[in-house]
Structures are given as C-alpha cells and as structure tokens.
Amino acid sequence: MKYLLADVLVYNDEDGSISVVDAPDVEPQVLTATANGIMKMLVNHHGNVVEREAFLREVWDARGLQGSNNSLNQYISILRKILASQVPEAAFIITVPKMGFMMSADIAVHPLPDEPERVESGKTTRRFQPELLFCGGLTILAIALCVWMFVIKHNQQHAEMHLLTHIGECPVYTFSPLADVFHNKAIALAKTIQRDGNVPCLKKSIFYLHIQNTLFYGHEGRLVLSQCSLTKANKASACRTLYYYDW
C-alpha cells in the first residue's frame, strides 16, 4: 500500500521506499526492514499513540529478533532524520513520554491507488467545507491517552496540558499553549463545533482541543475537539471526538 504523507512524500509500506512527489530525479529513500516495520505501524495508527511494547512485539519479536527501548529510540531517530531531510518544516513523529510514539495528527496521511493521480500546481480550488465526523476507536484512543497523561502526570513537560476556557463547567485544554492573540478565535471555534456537534458538558468530563495554527490566519486547517468522561481514578474514558475541516 502506498500513502501520501504531508501532501509531499509517497511512502510504500511494501518496499519501505519514501519518495518526493513530482521529483523523478531524486532517488527515493529506502528503509531497512526494521525501520519500515516501525514506519508502517506509525502510518497505520496515524494520530494514535503506539506503545513501546507494541513496537517491540510486532517489529522485533514477530521476526524472531530481540529488541530494546534503546534500539527502538535509535530507529525512531533514524526515521526522523530521513523525514526531516525531505520535509524539514514538518514534525512527523511525536514522542509521548512514558508511553510510545505517534504519527502526528497534523500530518495528512492519505492512501493512494495503484496509480496515484498527479496534482497540478497552481490550479487548486479553495473551498470552505466544515464537517462533523465521529472518529473510530483509534482516534478516540489517541485523544483519551493525551488526556490521561494530563490527569496522571501534571508535571510532565511534554504531556503538559493548557487550560483554554470552560464550556459550562467543563474545562477545555490544549496540548500546547496558544498565543494570547489566538485565544478568542480558538474559544469561538471550540464552542461552535461543540454546539453544532451537540456534545454537552457532562458531569466529571473535560474537553481536549487540537487546532492547526493555519486556521488563525484564514487558511485551510483542521480542528479536533474531544469530550472525555473521567473515571473515579481520574482516567479519561468514553471519549467522543469531532473533526472540523476547512480546506
């Protein structure tokens, strides 16, 4: 299966090749079997955290090899360097402390047909198309894990959540801080998608908001709002997630 990553790279999970779109003169990068196994899991679980144990089990144990956290870290570093060499401005792989790694939800991932269609530059038609979709289990799990990290590890630097506002009595958190100038826009978008999606503030529940900065500048982007209930142990569960697209 071939995938289009970040609208720039074509990744083939069968041979582990990564090539640049419309750049026939550039030799594709070819991953080793181990690196390709990791990359394939990240792409197949796009936007969802893949635990370290899953990588070790599927990439090493299943092939009769012995893996370790150190070897996994080394291969993740290799993948990051390869991807950064092709698209320096994009952060493809995100580290989730104490848990594992994930292919960033900000990175667009699209399966390609056997003969990918060519995209003509300079002929893109802009349109505004808001959509509300209920995500499957993988996306819900990703959001739930992010919220779980906030509740359990407030002082983890990389898992720190930032309070944006409240919807009713429910707090709305972002995974990264927003500039003050963007707060009102982010709050308005969060409340709009919450109202249109009919997701109420439930007792002992919180909201998690992920918003692409491009939306603040009037460009295309994506917004994700997840409402999660908290268990007695303050763990997120029963999450409901809404997507908002503008492109």
Side-chain angles (χ1 to χ4, degrees):
M1 174 70 74
K2 292 182 179 180
Y3 299 88
L4 180 63
L5 310 181
D7 299 324
V8 177
L9 302 179
V10 175
Y11 164 61
N12 188 334
D13 66 5
E14 295 182 0
D15 60 12
S17 62
I18 299 177
S19 55
V20 180
V21 174
D22 293 333
D25 296 333
V26 179
E27 286 292 326
Q29 297 271 4
V30 180
L31 305 177
T32 65
T34 300
N36 188 41
I38 296 171
M39 184 68 176
K40 185 174 182 179
M41 291 184 69
L42 290 169
V43 171
N44 287 340
H45 296 82
H46 173 233
N48 179 45
V49 178
V50 182
E51 295 183 350
R52 288 178 173 271
E53 291 75 9
F55 283 117
L56 297 177
R57 182 176 62 252
E58 298 296 330
V59 178
W60 279 272
D61 294 350
R63 296 161 55 215
L65 302 175
Q66 184 175 0
S68 66
N69 282 323
N70 286 337
S71 56
L72 174 59
N73 290 339
Q74 291 175 2
Y75 276 101
I76 289 291
S77 178
I78 291 172
L79 285 174
R80 281 176 168 151
K81 290 178 180 178
I82 291 175
L83 294 169
S85 69
Q86 306 292 344
V87 190
E89 67 276 10
F92 284 82
I93 303 175
I94 295 176
T95 299
V96 182
K98 305 290 185 180
M99 299 193 70
F101 304 93
M102 64 183 289
M103 179 68 69
S104 173
D106 287 341
I107 300 298
V109 175
H110 303 293
L112 292 176
D114 292 336
E115 293 294 332
E117 297 179 358
R118 295 176 63 88
V119 179
E120 297 185 44
S121 61
K123 296 185 179 181
T124 302
T125 302
R126 290 283 305 280
R127 72 180 188 274
F128 178 79
Q129 183 182 3
E131 299 177 10
L132 292 173
L133 300 174
F134 297 110
C135 297
L138 294 179
T139 302
I140 292 175
L141 178 59
I143 303 299
L145 288 173
C146 291
V147 177
W148 178 85
M149 287 187 294
F150 162 71
V151 175
I152 302 302
K153 287 289 184 180
H154 289 278
N155 59 350
Q156 286 286 341
Q157 179 179 0
H158 296 288
E160 183 181 359
M161 305 287 281
H162 302 267
L163 179 64
L164 175 67
T165 186
H166 284 78
I167 295 178
E169 296 183 355
C170 299
V172 180
Y173 295 99
T174 60
F175 196 67
S176 58
L178 297 177
D180 292 342
V181 69
F182 296 145
H183 275 206
N184 290 339
K185 176 70 171 180
I187 292 171
L189 287 172
K191 291 184 176 180
T192 297
I193 190 175
Q194 178 264 339
R195 181 183 64 251
D196 293 346
N198 192 26
V199 180
C201 171
L202 302 176
K203 184 178 180 180
K204 292 201 66 176
S205 67
I206 61 177
F207 287 91
Y208 168 75
L209 176 70
H210 171 77
I211 184 169
Q212 288 184 301
N213 288 339
T214 51
L215 285 172
F216 297 129
Y217 300 102
H219 302 302
E220 64 271 17
R222 179 171 58 182
L223 180 148
V224 181
L225 181 70
S226 183
Q227 180 264 324
C228 296
S229 299
L230 296 179
T231 66
K232 292 182 179 180
N234 281 333
K235 292 185 178 180
S237 66
C239 294
R240 184 181 179 188
T241 303
L242 300 174
Y243 272 76
Y244 178 98
Y245 295 94
D246 175 16
W247 49 24

